[in-house]
């Protein structure tokens, strides 16, 4: 929900730019459904006002498209409201199939119509821990910055180094594949190697903090700066 709120705020802040358009780029999109759920309230009249780019491996996005297509043909479960939501989401969603660790991923994004002159919200949720090393992560953030303009921003979930170490020794095969974490993500994002995003300690919100709690975490876990943190930054 913290990601939803941040992206929705971005869209509403740029509502007046409906004629020029804004973009949301989700790296490692998976089965994310924000292109179907979020908007400015004006795209009902202009579906081009917001473009969502789903960037992920081909097999993942092919499965997602298959499931959405099946939902549209399943009259037993689909309602008219759900059908309208999927159809509208499909019109403003663009698929970018690539491995984000491939240095040429940004070329694939441009091929699908990405416009660096339009304000962009970059979304990396549950992705960075699986990237192979810090150089790769820094390169991705640097590329994002070089493709951004005034009004652009990012939101990313980051694991601490300790969390990655614990994950690698856990019994979960998925968590064992965690590879990258950092303890000062604000300093990292602000560095030249990441392009120099505007990010400060106040932009780092730990999971369970009162700003990202939503009644899901007990008081003794609120404000704990360890484990997973949500980080936002501005161009």
């Amino acid at each position: 929900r913290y990601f939803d709120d941040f992206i929705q705020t971005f869209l509403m802040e740029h509502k007046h730019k409906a004629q020029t358009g804004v973009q949301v780029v989700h790296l490692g999109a998976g089965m994310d459904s924000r292109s179907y759920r979020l908007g400015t309230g004006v795209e009902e009249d202009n579906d081009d006002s917001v473009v969502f780019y789903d960037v992920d491996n081909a097999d993942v996005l092919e499965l997602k498209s298959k499931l959405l297509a099946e939902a549209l043909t399943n009259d037993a479960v689909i309602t008219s409201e759900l059908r309208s939501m999927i159809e509208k989401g499909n019109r403003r969603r663009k698929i970018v199939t690539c491995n984000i660790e491939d240095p040429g991923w940004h070329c694939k994004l441009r091929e699908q119509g990405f416009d660096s002159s339009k304000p962009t919200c970059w979304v990396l949720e549950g992705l960075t821990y699986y990237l192979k090393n810090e150089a790769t992560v820094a390169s991705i953030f640097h590329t994002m910055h070089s493709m951004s303009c005034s009004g652009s921003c990012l939101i990313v979930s980051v694991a601490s180094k300790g969390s990655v170490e614990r994950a690698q020794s856990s019994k979960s095969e998925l968590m064992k594949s965690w590879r990258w974490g950092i303890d000062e993500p604000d300093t990292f994002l602000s560095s030249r190697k990441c392009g120099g995003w505007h990010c400060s300690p106040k932009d780092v919100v730990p999971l369970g903090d009162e700003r990202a709690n939503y009644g899901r975490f007990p008081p003794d876990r609120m404000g704990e700066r360890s484990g997973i943190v949500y980080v936002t930054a501005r161009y």
Side-chain angles (χ1 to χ4, degrees):
R1 182 173 166 182
Y2 187 78
F3 277 69
D4 276 12
D5 290 348
F6 182 83
I7 298 166
Q8 186 66 65
T9 298
F10 165 81
L11 294 174
M12 296 306 294
E13 285 177 350
H14 294 279
K15 184 175 181 178
H16 65 285
K17 295 184 180 293
Q19 292 184 350
T20 57
V22 295
Q23 304 166 133
V24 178
V25 179
H26 196 147
L27 303 183
M31 298 295 155
D32 181 81
S33 63
R34 293 188 178 99
S35 60
Y36 301 91
R37 299 186 288 104
L38 305 182
T40 64
V42 300
E43 68 273 17
E44 289 80 359
D45 299 318
N46 179 10
D47 282 313
D48 294 329
S49 63
V50 181
V51 179
F52 288 80
Y53 293 91
D54 278 2
V55 184
D56 211 327
N57 294 324
D59 57 340
V60 175
L61 295 180
E62 287 170 3
L63 174 60
K64 183 176 183 177
S65 295
K66 177 176 179 290
L67 293 174
L68 287 166
E70 290 176 351
L72 285 174
T73 59
N74 191 341
D75 294 331
V77 298
I78 194 167
T79 63
S80 58
E81 181 180 5
L82 182 58
R83 181 183 299 277
S84 176
M85 182 179 73
I86 293 176
E87 290 175 343
K88 184 176 74 173
N90 283 342
R91 288 193 297 270
R92 59 185 187 172
R93 170 177 170 255
K94 294 190 176 183
I95 298 171
V96 183
T97 56
C98 64
N99 184 337
I100 194 62
E101 293 185 328
D102 180 346
W105 67 268
H106 56 96
C107 298
K108 298 288 186 69
L109 181 58
R110 291 190 188 279
E111 288 172 3
Q112 292 302 315
F114 177 87
D115 188 343
S116 293
S117 69
K118 295 180 179 181
T120 301
C121 180
W122 300 90
V123 183
L124 298 84
E125 184 177 17
L127 172 66
T128 59
Y129 351 122
Y130 298 101
L131 299 177
K132 57 186 177 184
N133 53 45
E134 186 161 308
T136 300
V137 177
S139 175
I140 290 171
F141 283 119
H142 192 282
T143 299
M144 288 161 47
H145 192 272
S146 69
M147 297 174 71
S148 298
C149 66
S150 176
S152 297
C153 58
L154 69 81
I155 181 167
V156 55
S157 56
V158 177
S160 67
K161 291 181 178 179
S163 288
V164 173
E165 291 174 358
R166 290 191 294 273
Q168 291 175 340
S169 61
S170 73
K171 296 181 179 180
S172 166
E173 291 301 320
L174 182 62
M175 293 187 71
K176 284 181 179 179
S177 64
W178 285 22
R179 294 182 283 183
W180 182 81
I182 197 165
D183 294 332
E184 299 292 340
D186 47 311
T187 302
F188 178 68
L189 283 170
S190 301
S191 66
R192 291 181 63 183
K193 62 184 176 182
C194 289
W197 290 91
H198 293 286
C199 186
S200 68
K202 67 179 179 60
D203 298 315
V204 180
V205 178
L207 187 65
D209 184 272
E210 60 182 357
R211 291 166 289 175
N213 190 330
Y214 307 106
R216 299 173 184 172
F217 299 93
D220 60 352
R221 284 195 58 191
M222 293 172 62
E224 177 187 356
R225 184 162 180 165
S226 63
I228 303 296
V229 295
Y230 300 148
V231 189
T232 58
R234 302 282 175 175
Y235 176 78

